[in-house]
Amino acid sequence: MNKDIFLSNSLGGKKEKFVPIDSKKIGMYVCGPTVYDDPHIGNARPLVVFDLLFKVLKCKYGSKSVTYVRNITDIDDKIIKSSKEKNISISELTLNITKKFHEDCKYLNCEIPTHEPKATDNIEPMINMIKELIKGKFAYENNKHIYFKVKNFSDYGKLSNKNLDDLIAGSRVELSGNKDSPEDFVLWKPSNDDEPSWSSPWGKGRPGWHLECSVMSKKYLGNTFDIHGGGRDLIFPHHENEIAQSVCANKTKKFANYWVHNNFITISKEKMAKSQGNILKISDYKKKYNGQVLRLALMSTHYSQPLDWNDKLMDECNRTLDKWYNCFVPVNKKILIDDNDLKPLYDDLNTPGFIAVLHKLFDKAKDGTLEDKEIFSTACKFIGLLDQSKDKWDSFKKQNLKLSENDILKKIEERNKARDKKDYELADKIRNELLDKGILIEDKDGKTIWKIK
RNA sequence: GGUAACGUGGCGGAAUGGUUACGCAGAGGAUUGCAAAUCCUUGUAUCCCGGUUCGAUUCCGGGCGUUACCUCCA
């Protein structure tokens, strides 16, 4: 469609019209997981948000014009710590968590990004970037550590609205004897024998956090690209440091043009975080809910707002999808979604606005023609919903059933006999028994049907 | 302390300088042995105080409240 895409840009803090550097080669880099622990639903939010942005960009510019890069950080102090705690090797841990992460992505019905580079496959270019930074006097070595010299980058703090004086005044920055200044951050550090290491001009060691994203975005998207995404908590210091490294090493004016940050999932209004101990794992939902339910729940609030989590939300989304599946038809032909219907998504990924559109299309489809149903189904599919057959949706629900189908049918027959004798007391008793087991009875057009509640 | 974001009906949640989505729950009705499901109808809101304006929930200033970031975090 010809309408413009708008995005809230954290750099500047305003909603802006999206103008790509090259509309045939659009680049989006999103910070992926550090693979040290099971993914939780807070991690799920950016997966869904940027999957949607990927879809919207492809819709406007063509599927071949958009490159989506999402990294896997598989070397980090948290990983080292976690592997020691779990008493397994680092590679066993990172491979295992990466596998779980991919399963969760699939469960959430997220498309596979164009590239998914790993940090450990990119140590050489990281070392090269450090060399460039040292050459440009943006980094210095001290006692086998390499640090980025923040004072030499005048734009530092622009993304996060911080100035150096405040940072130092806050003085929560880690003090280290090796640093020239407390705000400096590490690019390379030496490893002990029991820690992973790579040889470098500064001895055996490993990269600091932040560097992998600067290097891998450069590798696939170039020195300056269109969109950089991630959770709000990455703005400082992670993204601020990425900008500093990339701009100084690549000698450019800009790193990413648009910075898009999703807000948090909260529980009782408090941020869900591992350190808070209030996380809900994605895998916790796999048995009870189809992945689409979680996906819809994550889209029920605009990405820039906090999303307060509760079970009522999941149940509501489950019911909505159940209702929507009544109008689902497989679509084999190409159907264009009306520009006006698509508009909320183009306007800064307004998912609640688009969900309202889906409700309208559903109302029309429900008593409408096959074409109305096809339009509705296509619109759902566009945001990754109703992407599997109704049979599959139903069979998922059946897997949690405590009664066999045969038992249910027997009970229904028993109840119908009672009804014929006008023994409504017994009939209602049987109905309530089934209801307790999650089976809902409906007498419709002279027939009795059952559903899973 | 510094820097931001947010405050919309019973709940969730968009949008908007004037006509005020959408979902859930509620109420009434159709239907039903009674229900359920479905359908129809329907009520209810913009934290407080100033300012700008013919008009502000929307813009500006102040206040109150909530949250986040400044340390690992999506």
Side-chain angles (χ1 to χ4, degrees):
Chain A
M1 98 172 187
N2 294 320
K3 288 203 159 68
D4 294 317
I5 293 172
F6 288 83
L7 293 171
S8 287
N9 193 352
S10 305
L11 188 62
K14 281 188 186 131
K15 188 155 91 177
E16 293 173 34
K17 182 173 149 183
F18 174 66
V19 182
I21 297 165
D22 176 353
S23 63
K24 290 204 165 57
K25 269 175 78 180
I26 289 162
M28 174 164 80
Y29 186 93
V30 176
C31 287
T34 300
V35 282
Y36 71 104
D37 210 351
D38 295 343
H40 60 79
I41 55 172
N43 304 111
R45 197 170 189 192
L47 295 177
V48 171
V49 167
F50 294 103
D51 182 59
L52 272 173
L53 185 51
F54 187 37
K55 286 172 160 68
V56 168
L57 289 168
K58 286 196 294 182
C59 179
K60 179 164 170 70
Y61 297 101
S63 57
K64 285 179 184 160
S65 306
V66 187
T67 304
Y68 172 21
V69 182
R70 186 183 60 209
N71 66 289
I72 288 185
T73 297
D74 56 353
I75 171 64
D76 182 86
D77 285 2
K78 288 193 294 296
I79 293 173
I80 296 171
K81 194 173 162 229
S82 181
S83 85
K84 279 180 184 162
E85 280 167 9
K86 295 183 166 88
N87 205 20
I88 53 172
S89 74
I90 287 188
S91 62
E92 192 184 341
L93 173 69
T94 56
L95 288 174
N96 180 31
I97 301 294
T98 301
K99 187 170 162 257
K100 283 184 178 168
F101 172 72
H102 285 144
E103 283 166 7
D104 289 348
C105 288
K106 201 177 167 200
Y107 172 67
L108 288 164
N109 212 3
C110 290
E111 288 182 58
I112 298 167
T114 323
H115 302 286
E116 197 174 49
K118 289 180 181 178
T120 52
D121 291 337
N122 290 279
I123 303 292
E124 270 307 308
M126 289 193 219
I127 290 170
N128 291 336
M129 187 172 272
I130 295 172
K131 284 182 187 165
E132 282 301 313
L133 289 169
I134 293 173
K135 210 192 283 174
K137 305 239 189 292
F138 292 107
Y140 58 91
E141 182 182 0
N142 202 348
N143 199 15
K144 295 186 179 175
H145 291 70
I146 313 291
Y147 291 101
F148 186 93
K149 191 155 186 66
V150 168
K151 277 197 181 107
N152 287 1
F153 176 54
S154 57
D155 274 352
Y156 194 82
K158 226 176 165 185
L159 178 70
S160 53
N161 293 306
K162 294 186 192 308
N163 65 62
L164 271 183
D165 294 338
D166 291 341
L167 277 178
I168 296 159
S171 185
R172 291 219 231 168
V173 195
E174 183 200 348
L175 291 165
S176 160
N178 296 319
K179 286 184 186 178
D180 283 1
S181 296
E183 72 276 12
D184 293 347
F185 58 91
V186 72
L187 297 168
W188 189 266
K189 59 177 136 188
S191 290
N192 296 329
D193 289 344
D194 62 341
E195 291 167 343
S197 66
W198 290 262
S199 43
S200 80
W202 319 286
K204 282 201 155 208
R206 60 188 193 276
W209 186 40
H210 318 305
L211 195 58
E212 79 278 20
C213 290
S214 283
V215 163
M216 293 188 281
S217 61
K218 178 187 169 90
K219 182 172 174 180
Y220 293 100
L221 304 173
N223 290 346
T224 304
F225 56 92
D226 297 298
I227 298 168
H228 193 128
R232 279 193 78 85
D233 42 4
L234 296 181
I235 293 175
F236 189 91
H238 185 54
H239 289 161
E240 199 70 72
N241 292 355
E242 271 185 57
I243 293 172
Q245 291 162 349
S246 292
V247 167
C248 296
N250 300 331
K251 301 175 189 73
T252 54
K253 282 222 162 94
K254 280 200 115 175
F255 176 43
N257 287 330
Y258 299 85
W259 287 85
V260 180
H261 290 105
N262 63 276
N263 213 312
F264 309 124
I265 289 190
T266 58
I267 295 225
S268 305
K269 305 282 178 196
E270 277 186 7
K271 183 184 171 187
M272 180 180 290
K274 279 162 192 160
S275 52
Q276 299 263 21
N278 60 353
I279 57 160
L280 294 163
K281 290 177 184 177
I282 299 172
S283 56
D284 291 344
Y285 289 91
K286 277 187 180 159
K287 274 192 183 153
K288 195 173 173 197
Y289 295 102
N290 188 297
Q292 297 180 63
V293 180
L294 185 52
R295 189 174 170 100
L296 179 59
L298 290 167
M299 293 192 290
S300 67
T301 302
H302 190 259
Y303 76 86
S304 66
Q305 300 298 328
L307 168 51
D308 202 45
W309 198 259
N310 56 73
D311 289 341
K312 193 184 156 209
L313 176 67
M314 285 294 276
D315 286 332
E316 253 183 44
C317 291
N318 200 11
R319 281 184 52 132
T320 300
L321 285 166
D322 212 36
K323 187 175 88 172
W324 284 357
Y325 255 108
N326 290 325
C327 269
F328 170 79
V329 289
V331 182
N332 295 315
K333 58 185 173 191
K334 201 169 181 182
I335 291 177
L336 289 177
I337 304 166
D338 190 83
D339 277 7
N340 265 331
D341 291 341
L342 218 42
K343 208 176 150 195
L345 284 180
Y346 274 54
D347 187 6
D348 201 21
L349 295 179
N350 184 352
T351 46
F354 190 72
I355 290 167
V357 168
L358 292 180
H359 281 294
K360 272 182 209 156
L361 294 177
F362 173 80
D363 281 342
K364 203 175 171 210
K366 160 177 89 180
D367 317 302
T369 60
L370 177 65
E371 203 197 345
D372 293 329
K373 289 183 171 67
E374 285 173 337
I375 290 170
F376 168 71
S377 300
T378 302
C380 288
K381 204 169 172 175
F382 184 70
I383 57 167
L385 299 175
L386 271 59
D387 204 34
Q388 50 186 226
S389 68
K390 179 151 171 45
D391 280 353
K392 231 177 167 182
W393 171 261
D394 286 338
S395 67
F396 184 88
K397 290 196 293 182
K398 278 179 193 162
Q399 77 184 15
N400 293 323
L401 216 55
K402 285 168 201 144
L403 285 170
S404 77
E405 247 181 286
N406 237 338
D407 291 340
I408 296 167
L409 293 174
K410 268 185 198 162
K411 285 279 177 194
I412 288 175
E413 211 185 306
E414 215 177 294
R415 174 172 169 270
N416 280 341
K417 274 182 189 159
R419 289 174 72 212
D420 287 342
K421 290 181 203 154
K422 303 219 190 261
D423 185 355
Y424 294 121
E425 206 174 307
L426 177 63
D428 290 352
K429 195 185 150 206
I430 295 169
R431 184 171 63 200
N432 287 333
E433 276 172 16
L434 285 170
L435 192 63
D436 283 345
K437 285 167 182 158
I439 305 298
L440 205 69
I441 298 291
E442 292 177 19
D443 301 320
K444 217 169 162 186
D445 305 329
K447 281 183 184 171
T448 302
I449 59 163
W450 65 275
K451 322 180 162 171
I452 296 153
K453 198 178 152 192

